[in-house]
C-alpha cells in the first residue's frame, strides 16, 4: 500500500513521482550541485513493503525524464515488474532506503554541494550549529541549543554507510526534533523531508547554515 | 485611507500589492536569498490605521501567487475582513509594521543573505562603511563620512525586536538621511524604501556594500 | 558626422544605440553588477563634435528601454534637440566622454563589480598582471610583461576624475597596446572597446584577471 | 572514415557537430567560463586521417552558430574543402588535436575556469586529489589512491604545449584509468571524453574537485 493512499502503487503514482524527481533534479543541476552525473533523489512510494522511486544511475541530472527512475526495495535493489524503468538504480539507493525506513522520510535528496564537503573537512566529528535563525527551518530552536549536523565517513558499501547513518541518527524526542540531514565526508550531503519540496527546503536551509558556519568560523 | 490615493484600501490595490510581492519574492528566491520558506516582504497599504500586505508564512517564496498575502495591522496581527488571504502572516510581520511606522517605509524586504549574517558576526556593534560610492545609493555621501548599518540581536519576540530597531534607528536629520536597513544577527537583513522597487535597490546596494566590507577587511 | 558612416546622427542610429545599451545593461544587471540603479554604459555616436548615447540616471538597469538614453557632449552634458530622451544623463557621463575622446572608445561600460573594488583596495597604486593568458584578451602578451590596470581615487567631480584618467592612461605605443580599463577606488570599473561587444569582452576579461589576481595573491 | 560510422565525414555530420559545439559553448559562456572570446571546444570527426571540428577563433562563445566551426588536421591547421567554415580555427586547435590523438578523446573542452588557474598557482607540480567521491566521476577510486591532475606551463607554441601534455599524460594501465584533464598554468583547463557530454561531465567533476581542494587546503 502506498504512502499517499490505500491503493497499491499505481502507474500513475510512479509517473507523478518520476516527473517530480526529474524537475527537482534539473533544479539542482542548474545550481551546480549535480556535477557530471553525480547526485540522486528519491521518493518513498510505499512502506509495507518499502518501495522507493530513485533516479537512475549514470544520467545527466539536468536532462532526466519522468521515466528515468527505478523502483527499489528496502536494500536499494531494483524491483522488477512493479513499474519504473529497468535501468540501474543509483548506487546510493541503499542509503536512501535506510533513510526512508529509519527517519520516515517521504523524499530524500543527495547532492555534491561544496559547503557540505568543506564543513565535513573542518568539523569531521559533526557540524555544531547554534543561535542561528535558520535552525527553525529544520524544526529547531534559534536560540541557546546546539544542533549537530552529523558527519560519517565515506564508503562504497551501502550497508556500512546505512549502519553509520543509523549510529549517528537521533530520532525526535519529546525535547527535540530530529535533524533531517547527513553529511558524508569527502562526498556530499543528504537531506530529507515529508515530501520532495520539504526535502529541498531542508537542503537549502542546511546549505545556508553550513555557508554561515564556514564564513564565521574562527 | 490608503497611501496611494484618498480611496479606502480596495480589492484592486490588494491584488496589485500581492502580485508585486509574489514577483519580487520569486526574484529573491532565484538569487538564493530565500532558502526553504525563509524571508518575507511587505507593502504598506494604508497609514491611518496602519495596514500592510505581508507575504504568508510557510510557503515557498519562489512559488507565491498574488493571493498569498495577509493584511496585518500595526502589531503585525492579521486583520480579518479587509481582504487578502486568511493564511498565517509571516512571523516577522510585527517588525515590518514597526519599520513602516517608524521609518515611513512604503515597502520592506527581509532576506537571509550570507553577507549580512557574516558582517553582523564580524561587527556585532554595527557595520561601519566609509568612502564607498555605493553609499550614494542609500542617500549618503561617498566621501568622508561614516555610515553605520545597525545590528541588533536576534529574538523571537517581535515587540523586543521592534524596540531594538527603534533604539538603533536614527531618523533623517538636516545633516543626514536615515539608513534604510537593519541587520538582525544570526538571522538576516531588512531593507526598505518608498516602494518595493526602491526597497530592492536599497537591499542590493547594502548587500554589495557588505560584500566589499568583508572582502576588504583587515 | 557619425562614427559609423558619413551620415549625420540619425534617429535610426540613436534607436539602435538605445536598444543595444538596454540589452547590455540587462545582461550586467542579471550578473549582479548593477546593484540598485548603479552602473552606466555609453556608445560613441559621433566625433566631430563628440556625441555619446549614455544610459539615463536613476533607472533600474535591468529594465531599460531603448528610449532610456541621453545624448551628451564632450563634457557629458545633455544635448537638447539632437534626439534621445530629455532625462538626466548618468552622473558619470563626463568620464565616459573623456574616455571616448582620449582612448578613442566606441563604447564604454561602468559597473560595480566586487573584484575591481577589492583589487583597488589591495593594490591602490594599480593592479599589476603578468604571465596570464587572458592578457591576450586585451591585446597584451601572455608572457614576461607587466600589464597595469590603473587605479584612480574616487571623486564626484567628473573633471577631476577625467583628469585623473588622462594622467594614468598610457596610449598604445609601437611596443604595446593601451589598457582598455580604469578602476576607480571604492567605486567600480570602466572598460571600453571599439563597440559595445568588445567593451563587454574587455570587461569580462579584466574581471576574470582581477579574480585570478585576488585568488593567487600572497 | 569518421569515428561514428564507416562513412566519410559528411556535411550532415559536420552540421551536427557544429550545432553541438555551439550549444555547449553557450552553456559554458552562461557560467562565466568563456570571458571575452576565450575558450574553445572540439569534436573528433575522423581518425584516419585525424579530423576535428573546432570552434572558430575570435567569436563570442555565447553566440556561436553551427557554422562557426573549422575542420582541422592533426596539427590543428585548417583543412580546406572538407566542409566547415573558412574562418580561423582557435589558436589552441593544435593542442586539441594532440589530445584527440594521444588520449583518444572524442571531444575536448577548454575553459578559463578560476579554480583551475588558482589550483595551478597553488600546486604548480600537479594537483593531488585523494579520498573524494567525485574521483569516481573520472573513473578513479574514491578511496586510498592519489590522482594527479597534471599542470603544465603556459606557452603560445602549440607544439611545445602538445609535447608538454604528452610528457605528463599517463595512459590507462591495467591498474588505473587515465586522467581526462590538463591544467595549463596561468591559463585554464582542458577536459575530454568519449563525446561532448562526457567531456562536460569530466570538466564539471574536475572543477568541483579543484574547488574542494582549494577550500580544504591547509
Amino acid at each position: 500500500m502506498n504512502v499517499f493512499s490505500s491503493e497499491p502503487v499505481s502507474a500513475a503514482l510512479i509517473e507523478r513521482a518520476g516527473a517530480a524527481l526529474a524537475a527537482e533534479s534539473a533544479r539542482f543541476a542548474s545550481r551546480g550541485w549535480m556535477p557530471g552525473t553525480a547526485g540522486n533523489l528519491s521518493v518513498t512510494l510505499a512502506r509495507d513493503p518499502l518501495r522507493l522511486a530513485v533516479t537512475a544511475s549514470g544520467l545527466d541530472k539536468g536532462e532526466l525524464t519522468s521515466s528515468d527512475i527505478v523502483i527499489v526495495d528496502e536494500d536499494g535493489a531494483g524491483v522488477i515488474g512493479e513499474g519504473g524503468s529497468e535501468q540501474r538504480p543509483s548506487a546510493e539507493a541503499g542509503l536512501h532506503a535506510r533513510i526512508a525506513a529509519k527517519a520516515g522520510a517521504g523524499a530524500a535528496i543527495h547532492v555534491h554541494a561544496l559547503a557540505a564537503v568543506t564543513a565535513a573537512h573542518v568539523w569531521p566529528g559533526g557540524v555544531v550549529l547554534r543561535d542561528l535563525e535558520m535552525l527553525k527551518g529544520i524544526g529547531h530552536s534559534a536560540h541557546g541549543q546546539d544542533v549537530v549536523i552529523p558527519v560519517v565517513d565515506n564508503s562504497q558499501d551501502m550497508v556500512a554507510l546505512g549502519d553509520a547513518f543509523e549510529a549517528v541518527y537521533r530520532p525526535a524526542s519529546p525535547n527535540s526534533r530530529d535533524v533531517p540531514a547527513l553529511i558524508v565526508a569527502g562526498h556530499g550531503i543528504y537531506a530529507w523531508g515529508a515530501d520532495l519540496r520539504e526535502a529541498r527546503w531542508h537542503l537549502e536551509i542546511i546549505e545556508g547554515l553550513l555557508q554561515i558556519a564556514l564564513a564565521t568560523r574562527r
Side-chain angles (χ1 to χ4, degrees), chain A:
Chain A
M1 309 236 276
N2 82 60
V3 296
F4 304 114
S5 74
S6 56
E7 303 290 316
V9 176
S10 67
L13 176 68
I14 293 172
E15 169 69 23
R16 254 195 344 266
L21 289 166
E24 288 295 323
S25 290
R27 184 196 298 258
F28 292 115
S30 76
R31 290 185 186 171
W33 289 356
M34 299 292 211
T37 66
N40 34 73
L41 294 81
S42 68
V43 167
T44 305
L45 297 172
R47 293 211 167 269
D48 185 16
L50 187 67
R51 291 290 183 268
L52 281 73
V54 178
T55 49
S57 181
L59 303 180
D60 191 304
K61 294 303 180 295
E63 300 173 1
L64 297 185
T65 71
S66 59
S67 305
D68 293 324
I69 57 166
V70 186
I71 310 299
V72 300
D73 64 14
E74 72 276 11
D75 298 321
V79 174
I80 304 295
E82 298 189 13
S85 81
E86 298 190 4
Q87 300 177 64
R88 189 158 50 90
S90 161
E92 281 102 343
L95 184 51
H96 281 264
R98 293 286 282 270
I99 290 169
K102 180 79 176 178
I109 302 170
H110 167 52
V111 297
H112 287 200
L114 180 61
V117 176
T118 308
H121 178 87
V122 175
W123 299 287
V127 184
V128 181
L129 304 168
R130 186 188 177 92
D131 291 339
L132 292 167
E133 178 75 10
M134 281 203 284
L135 288 169
K136 290 167 62 184
I138 52 170
H140 288 267
S141 170
H143 304 276
Q145 294 191 339
D146 285 352
V147 177
V148 182
I149 311 294
V151 174
V152 298
D153 285 344
N154 193 22
S155 172
Q156 302 307 309
D157 177 346
M158 284 305 124
V159 174
L161 213 41
D163 291 348
F165 157 64
E166 293 196 4
V168 296
Y169 178 72
R170 289 158 62 170
S173 71
N175 297 322
S176 177
R177 281 268 314 258
D178 62 349
V179 169
L182 176 75
I183 302 178
V184 183
H187 186 156
I189 188 168
Y190 289 78
W192 55 87
D195 54 27
L196 259 183
R197 179 180 290 176
E198 192 184 78
R200 171 167 61 79
W201 289 350
H202 289 166
L203 178 60
E204 292 172 349
I205 288 288
I206 292 169
E207 177 74 7
L209 286 164
L210 295 175
Q211 289 177 348
I212 292 172
L214 291 167
T216 59
R217 81 183 127 144
R218 275 150 226 295

